[in-house]
Every structure is written in structure tokens, then in C-alpha cells.
Amino acid sequence: MYIILDSGSTKTEMLVRQKGGDSTIIFPGINPFYQTEEEVFALLEDNVNEKVNRQAVENIFFYGAGCSFPEKKNIVRNALEKSFPNAEIAVENDLLAASRALFQTKRGIACILGTGSNSCLYNGKEIEQNVSPLGFILGDEGSGAVIGKKFVADCLKNQMPKDLSEAFFSQQQTTVQAVMDNVYKKPFPNRYLASICRFIYGFRETPYVQNLLRTSFTEFFVRNIKQYPINGENIGFVGSIAHYFKEELTEVAQEQGYNIGSILKQPMEGLAKFHANKCK
């Protein structure tokens, strides 16, 4: 019996694979940049405690945002060890999850466009080169958090059509003060900003939103993908932003000289295939 966990900043998907069949559990995201070991452990206890025979789990493959550094991996590993005392645990970053899901054991450039963004050159076994994403304040170009950040900044500084800003406040049932509180006072401002993309999606045909999306995706290619040596490698994307705005993303990619091979909303199906082959 083994478990695969794919966790972004917003959502965690857990696949439990056992002889009786697979089951899936969805719960809030785990990111050790924003959560302590105790908080991760409490999240696991609240959402997994009565749903899985934890004593019977032999292996755990965890892939997560924020798990690129040893000290951050240890936060997650220690919490998992408390919850699953008999399991052998592997903690990797979400970029390796995207790479394995998209390319299995083949070479390619794997990209993430979800709440955050990231990219790498994957050689079929490991990540060969990575341009640091730097988070939604310094980087994360093209991500939901950055697109949402640009949108609300334009909204509050009167840099968008008035009917669009009025629709935002009305449909989101929010105020300037509420926006500021969510960004500067409440936890997980990246989740809040990324959530605004649901509203943006409803207005994606407007000139303002088209410009916002195309500018953001262009920045992603220019500041990230153009740093990788391109020798005919496949390029693939994982994440909700890539999935829902795939038309704009594909057009920008072509303008920048790239062809996207595949876009996955989430990596779990590809990860399940990868580990099924590895665990035979």
C-alpha cells in the first residue's frame, strides 16, 4: 500500500493505492514556506486521520510547493513520519512532479502555472536546470497569484475600465479595505490573489484581461523559458492557470517561438502512471 501526495499552495491531492482499489482525498495545500511542522501535522490529522489505515502504508511519495530546500523538505517529512510511522517517505518538489507527470522518463521542459509558477529542464531522470521562481513578490511570472496581484493593483489605482472594476467589487462582494486586509494582514495572500483569477476568467474576452494575460505569459517565457538551451525539447505545462487560459498561453508561446506539447490541469494522473511503473 502506498500513497502519492501532490500539494500546491492551495490544494493537496492524495492518491491512496491499495489492492482493493484507489481512493482520492482532497484537502488544503501544504507549503513549508508558510507552515510549520506542527501546522502540517495538524492538517494531516484533520483530513487523513480516519480515512486511511496509516499503519498499513508502506511508502509515501510527496511532491510539494516549497520543497526545493532540505530544511523545508524536513518540515514536511517530519510531519509525515508522525502521521505514518511505518512508511518509507520521499519528499520532492512540485517541479519534479510536473516533470514526471508530463514526460515520465523522457526529456523536456516542464512548467507550472498555478497559484505560483516554475519551470525546469528535465533530462528524464532528474531536474538538470532550474530558473528560480522567487515567489509571487519577486517572481512567479504568469502565475495566478501574480495575475491576481496585477489585477487588483490596477483596480485600486484606477488603471482599468470602470465597468470592470465595478463588476469586481460587486461580484466578489468585497471592498478596498477587504482587499488590503487579505493581501497584507491575513495568511496566504498568494492564495487570495490567485483566487481572483476565477473572476478574471469570466472577463477573459475583454481587451483589458487579454492584455493582462498576454503580458503575464510573455514575462514567463522571457524571464524563465528563454534561459534554457532549446534543442527541440518538448515543452509541457501543469496547473490551473495553464489549463483555463490555454488559448492565450498557446498563442503567446508561439509568438515567442515555442510549441506546447501538452497541458495538464493537475499532475496526479501522470504521477500515478509513473509510480505504477516504478512499483511493479
Side-chain angles (χ1 to χ4, degrees):
M1 178 180 179
Y2 66 88
I3 286 175
I4 304 170
L5 293 103
D6 169 56
S7 185
S9 293
T10 300
K11 182 185 75 173
T12 300
E13 181 176 2
M14 173 187 282
L15 177 69
V16 181
R17 178 151 283 181
Q18 52 192 328
K19 291 182 179 180
D22 295 349
S23 59
T24 300
I25 302 170
I26 305 292
F27 55 93
I30 293 171
N31 189 325
F33 266 96
Y34 301 109
Q35 293 156 298
T36 65
E37 178 183 321
E38 291 72 24
E39 288 171 332
V40 175
F41 175 68
L43 189 63
L44 291 167
E45 292 294 289
D46 290 343
N47 291 278
V48 182
N49 191 25
E50 297 179 357
K51 300 176 182 178
V52 178
N53 180 359
R54 293 182 294 171
Q55 300 295 325
V57 177
E58 299 171 304
N59 294 92
I60 294 177
F61 306 99
F62 181 96
Y63 299 91
C67 293
S68 295
F69 303 99
E71 65 272 20
K72 300 304 181 184
K73 287 184 177 182
N74 286 336
I75 289 173
V76 176
R77 183 180 288 107
N78 292 341
L80 287 168
E81 286 176 348
K82 291 178 185 178
S83 289
F84 301 91
N86 300 322
E88 183 176 335
I89 297 167
V91 178
E92 303 289 354
N93 63 39
D94 54 350
L95 197 50
L96 186 60
S99 300
R100 289 175 170 176
L102 287 164
F103 304 119
Q104 300 292 305
T105 57
K106 296 181 180 179
R107 184 180 176 91
I109 293 176
C111 307
I112 297 173
L113 284 183
T115 298
S117 71
N118 208 342
S119 63
C120 73
L121 177 60
Y122 173 68
N123 65 15
K125 292 183 179 180
E126 59 188 6
I127 294 172
E128 195 170 284
Q129 183 180 348
N130 168 236
V131 177
S132 179
L134 299 180
F136 76 102
I137 294 176
L138 297 178
D140 272 5
E141 297 86 1
S143 70
V146 170
I147 291 171
K149 180 177 70 171
K150 288 182 175 184
F151 181 91
V152 294
D154 283 354
C155 182
L156 300 187
K157 282 185 174 284
N158 306 310
Q159 298 297 304
M160 68 171 58
K162 188 175 181 179
D163 59 344
L164 183 57
S165 62
E166 289 177 347
F168 170 71
F169 287 114
S170 175
Q171 291 188 23
Q172 298 295 104
Q173 297 182 333
T174 191
T175 63
V176 173
Q177 186 61 56
V179 170
M180 298 295 283
D181 287 347
N182 276 294
V183 172
Y184 290 108
K185 292 184 177 181
K186 295 184 179 180
F188 300 107
N190 57 331
R191 288 184 188 175
Y192 167 73
L193 291 168
S195 72
I196 292 169
C197 288
R198 297 189 188 97
F199 171 84
I200 292 172
Y201 180 80
F203 291 84
R204 65 191 181 282
E205 301 298 333
T206 63
Y208 170 84
V209 171
Q210 281 291 303
N211 182 65
L212 172 63
L213 294 172
R214 292 174 186 278
T215 300
S216 298
F217 294 150
T218 298
E219 289 175 350
F220 176 78
F221 279 94
V222 170
R223 295 173 66 84
N224 298 279
I225 305 307
K226 285 187 178 293
Q227 297 195 54
Y228 301 115
I230 303 295
N231 297 305
E233 281 91 349
N234 292 321
I235 299 179
F237 283 79
V238 167
S240 57
I241 296 300
H243 172 77
Y244 285 110
F245 299 111
K246 60 184 176 183
E247 182 177 335
E248 292 81 5
L249 178 63
T250 299
E251 290 178 0
V252 169
Q254 291 173 347
E255 291 169 3
Q256 295 297 317
Y258 304 101
N259 290 311
I260 298 174
S262 59
I263 296 176
L264 305 176
K265 183 179 180 182
Q266 49 200 16
M268 186 56 80
E269 183 178 350
L271 286 174
K273 179 181 178 182
F274 178 87
H275 285 289
N277 291 331
K278 291 292 183 180
C279 295
K280 285 180 179 178

